[in-house]
Amino acid sequence: MDEHALSTRKTKPVLLKLRSSKWLIGFTVFVAAFNDGFGYGAVVPVLPFSLVERSGVREKDVQFWLSTLLVAFGLSLTVAAPITAWAGDKLGNRRMPMILGSLLALVGTAVFCVAEAPWLLVVARLCQGASNGAVYSAGLPLIADTVSPDEVGSWMGFVFSGMTGGFLVSPFLAGIVYAKAGYFPVFILVFAALAFDLFLRIIIIEKKTMARFISDEGPRQRYKARPNESPPRLRNGSLTGNNHYESDRSSGSSTVNGADSDEPPKAKIPATSGSKFNPAFWFRNAFPRMATLLSSPRLSAAVYGCFTYGTVICSFDAILPLFVNRTFGWDSQGVGLIFLALTVPALAGAAFGAVSDRYGPKRVSLSGFAIASVSLALLAFVRDDSNIAKAGLTVLLFTLGTGMNLILTPLAADMLYEADIIEEQNPDVFGDAGTYALVYSFLCAAFGLATSVGPAWSGFMFEDINWAAAMVSLVAFCLLGGVGVFFYTGGAEAGKRVGLDEHV
């Protein structure tokens, strides 16, 4: 039953409060994110071997097809993200795109299960990538619509711990199952997880739908400024010390008083003049919502930081199985086990989110970039088949995973904080649809591009040069990602705003 049908009913749906609670909605998005990681990661330790055994791919072409499948997944995710965001705004709910995404995941997994030809595996990966667009472009805005502003970081950390938790268990389980029972039993695990996910997506009820039945328990209402009204001040009227926002509604800009504030500058769209065709002016008028958001350096820095995260993680999906197979002689079971070291830190995702809420996205994410860069640099020295090398690889993958999770959760929350500021300053641009779906479609597109760029680049560096060169290039990615965060990402007061009514 869709949201429109629910909203036109005169009687309350069964278990209305439970089905619309933030706990069930949050758990549903967590499971959706888990299946995103689970479905993606289950085939990572299997493909290097099944491509040869089932698909007849020559050993020297395995890296090419591994990268191709990852690139197909990423490109599909990139294209599907804005479509899902648009559909959620057009339909007026986030739940239906998530249900359709779940059905598409089932189709893609079924094709992957029975297909042998490599091109059919690419088709299956395209379906899976498109389905995952719903997790970020519909699921994350659903979380933002449901929880209070002070809880955003913790809930985002919880959701992303689901995604990386899926990465955590799927290579481990799939590697063991494939080694012991073969190819098809691997997909029994995936189908079971997808079925439970679909059930949860069907039964939840959005807050705005619940509000039609219970007038005093509506959704969290985001602040909407009127044409001549200034945006609200921050909680306790301050940022850091005695600084506070002052807005000039006539010019559409805002400033921060005080030299010590680490709150970044706000979005501005540059003025244009003259009669000649100006691509930027055309884009601003054709796509005003997107142009307004992309003009924010703070939002752009967060998107690029998430792109860096995805690039590094997906690079290891492409080259780590081959590296440990060629260097240590490990089979699919060993590949699955080594991925545990990289993904175990994801279990602390909610804790990382809470730390970000307390100390601000900038400090936490910069710490993550520093830890990840050092870990990648040291991984370049893991080269021979020795116990010291195996132990060093395990420890460094664990520290790398810790750094990566310190990057993702704070930046995903900071995107939301900046989106609220931009919407308050441009109420006529966004209307009732708001900014959340579009903002998180950027996040989804960043992940999609990273899934394409990471495997293609690292696969090239690994095959044409060596493992050390691949690691050094990823260090450069991390350092570039940290530059924008250093200059533009919000500080400790980033999410503490009073323009948002906390949801009960």
Side-chain angles (χ1 to χ4, degrees), residues 150 352-361 363-364 417 491-493 496:
D150 289 342
F352 294 150
V355 172
S356 176
D357 286 339
R358 180 176 179 83
Y359 296 104
R363 293 178 182 175
V364 178
Y417 303 145
E493 300 294 326
K496 298 181 179 179

Side-chain angles (χ1 to χ4, degrees), residues 124-311:
R125 238 12 183 174
L126 289 171
C127 292
Q128 291 176 329
S131 72
N132 287 348
V135 175
Y136 304 106
S137 295
L140 294 182
L142 182 58
I143 286 287
D145 288 340
T146 302
V147 305
S148 66
D150 289 342
E151 298 176 309
V152 166
S154 298
W155 278 99
M156 289 299 173
F158 177 63
V159 169
F160 284 122
S161 70
M163 179 187 69
T164 43
F167 286 126
L168 165 70
V169 300
S170 57
F172 169 66
L173 292 177
I176 293 177
V177 171
Y178 181 77
K180 302 296 184 182
Y183 184 79
F184 290 105
V186 171
F187 289 90
I188 296 177
L189 299 174
V190 181
F191 280 120
L194 288 174
F196 180 60
D197 180 20
L198 178 60
F199 169 74
L200 289 175
R201 297 190 198 195
I202 290 174
I203 67 170
I204 61 170
I205 297 175
E206 294 186 47
K207 290 294 183 182
K208 60 185 177 183
T209 302
M210 183 195 73
R212 297 188 177 104
F213 297 98
I214 304 176
S215 60
D216 61 343
E217 295 188 37
R220 179 172 65 107
Q221 297 296 324
R222 288 181 289 162
Y223 178 86
K224 302 290 184 181
R226 288 180 282 274
N228 296 318
E229 184 181 19
S230 297
R233 298 180 184 275
L234 303 186
R235 180 173 287 108
N236 298 327
S238 66
L239 273 169
T240 54
N242 296 319
N243 301 321
H244 62 79
Y245 280 101
E246 292 181 356
S247 177
D248 180 1
R249 299 301 299 177
S250 62
S251 63
S253 64
S254 64
T255 60
V256 181
N257 288 334
D260 296 330
S261 174
D262 57 2
E263 191 70 17
K266 305 301 172 287
K268 293 183 180 180
I269 298 180
T272 59
S273 61
S275 58
K276 293 182 179 180
F277 174 74
N278 186 314
F281 182 74
W282 171 84
F283 182 78
R284 184 183 66 178
N285 284 275
F287 306 99
R289 298 171 64 219
M290 187 176 296
T292 302
L293 290 171
L294 290 177
S295 66
S296 165
R298 175 179 179 181
L299 186 60
S300 298
V303 171
Y304 186 75
C306 292
F307 168 77
T308 302
Y309 164 89
T311 299

Side-chain angles (χ1 to χ4, degrees), residues 55-75:
S55 302
V57 174
R58 294 177 299 178
E59 185 70 34
K60 67 177 183 178
D61 295 328
V62 169
Q63 178 63 65
F64 168 79
W65 282 108
L66 282 176
S67 297
T68 299
L69 290 169
L70 292 171
V71 168
F73 181 94
L75 291 178

